Amino acid sequence: MSGGDKLEFEIRRNPAPVSAADRAALLVDPGFGRVFTDHMVTIRYAEGKGWYDARVEARAPIPMDPASAVLHYAQEIFEGLKAYRTADGGVTLFRPEANADRFVASAERLAMPPLPPEAFLDSLHRLIEIDREWIPTGEDGSLYLRPFMFASEVFLGVRPAREYLYVLIAAPVGSYFSGGVKPVKVWISPDYTRAAPGGTGAAKCGGNYAASLAAQAEAIEHGCDQVVFLDAVERRFVDELGGMNVFFVYDDGTLVTPPLTGSILPGITRESVLTLAAEAGLTVQERSVSFADWQADAVSGRLREVFACGTAAVITPIGHVRFPDGEFPVGAGRPGRVTMELRQQLVDLQRGVTADPHGWVHRVF
């Protein structure tokens, strides 16, 4: 099979899929990232050959040589997006083209061959078509899609690999945080940073998340749900959470989020929130927010709401902040009006409940 933007997918159905009864039992409470569908997509790349051998096949372990390049030099990227079941039985995706474009940008930053967006989108359609019955029907349910790519060439040497494997797997999921939408507690990391200028902060690669795990464990030790990272240069300004962007809502109707300086992931939910907030009449600003100002404005009451956003959690209110020298609440200790209105707008758009003037919702069926 020759490479190129348009690939023909070979379909190899799982000979032993999960039974309908067992699947129904699993979908009652799938959690997040614990249950997986029957199939996966794989596409291979070789230098001089391009992308080839596109398949939908039974989900199975990936054979890997101990000298595979990804295990030594961490050339790996991924994406995350969801498929939603609509009231009329259809299926939608939310801004998958943006995920395809970010996958290309991440690949280029990690010196990897970009997968053509058309092939990326086609892989999503193929897997959803064959595993459609795995999409939960509950209010918070969706099918989480995880495309990823890694260096599969067998060699030891510091250079970009010449062979890669793209894989797409899917997991039926419920709410990201147990207990539904409620304010979370966050920990301001005093010692760790997520990414530095010139690094890979703007790419969606596993190394960024690995670097956040020690800080996340520290947050949990201090009774918090998530960690917040400050900038790597001055250690004063808020960057983002371990896996989500952050927003601040002020008493004058201003919505603020840190600017994309290269160390912050350009979240697709983040970009959507900026658009929806401006349309709702809020004054939207992308500017730096120091932790000192966060604390002072929360104590004075000028800062009314803070929330985090991302594909997995959509929008999650932040109700309490802890740091080595103390702690303080944000708002009234319950989800704020702006936070919840923006969240509901996004949820309704993603599920095709409301009109979509931006063309964000992609109807699969």
Side-chain angles (χ1 to χ4, degrees), residues 180 183 209 317:
Y209 293 79

Side-chain angles (χ1 to χ4, degrees), residues 165-187:
L165 180 64
Y166 168 83
V167 183
L168 170 64
I169 56 176
V173 298
S175 177
Y176 184 70
F177 290 110
S178 60
V181 181
K182 58 183 180 182
V184 297
K185 295 179 180 179
V186 297
W187 170 254

Side-chain angles (χ1 to χ4, degrees), residues 233-252:
V233 178
E234 298 186 53
R235 309 295 285 274
R236 293 175 52 210
F237 299 102
V238 178
D239 262 6
E240 63 174 277
L241 279 69
M244 292 181 280
N245 298 116
V246 62
F247 281 83
F248 303 87
V249 183
Y250 293 88
D251 59 2
D252 62 355

Side-chain angles (χ1 to χ4, degrees), residues 65-73 152-161:
D65 191 283
S68 296
V70 66
L71 300 177
H72 304 271
Y73 309 114
S152 57
E153 183 184 1
V154 177
F155 84 106
L156 298 178
V158 184
R159 62 162 172 78

Side-chain angles (χ1 to χ4, degrees), residues 100-145:
D101 290 342
R102 190 170 63 182
F103 201 64
V104 168
S106 294
E108 291 172 344
R109 178 62 186 85
L110 272 291
M112 304 169 75
L115 180 70
E118 183 178 358
F120 180 96
L121 296 171
D122 203 10
S123 74
L124 302 178
H125 283 219
R126 297 290 184 169
L127 189 60
I128 292 170
E129 285 172 4
I130 201 167
D131 280 341
R132 179 177 182 174
E133 296 304 317
W134 281 95
I135 305 176
T137 57
E139 182 179 354
D140 293 325
S142 60
L143 186 66
Y144 184 80
L145 299 158

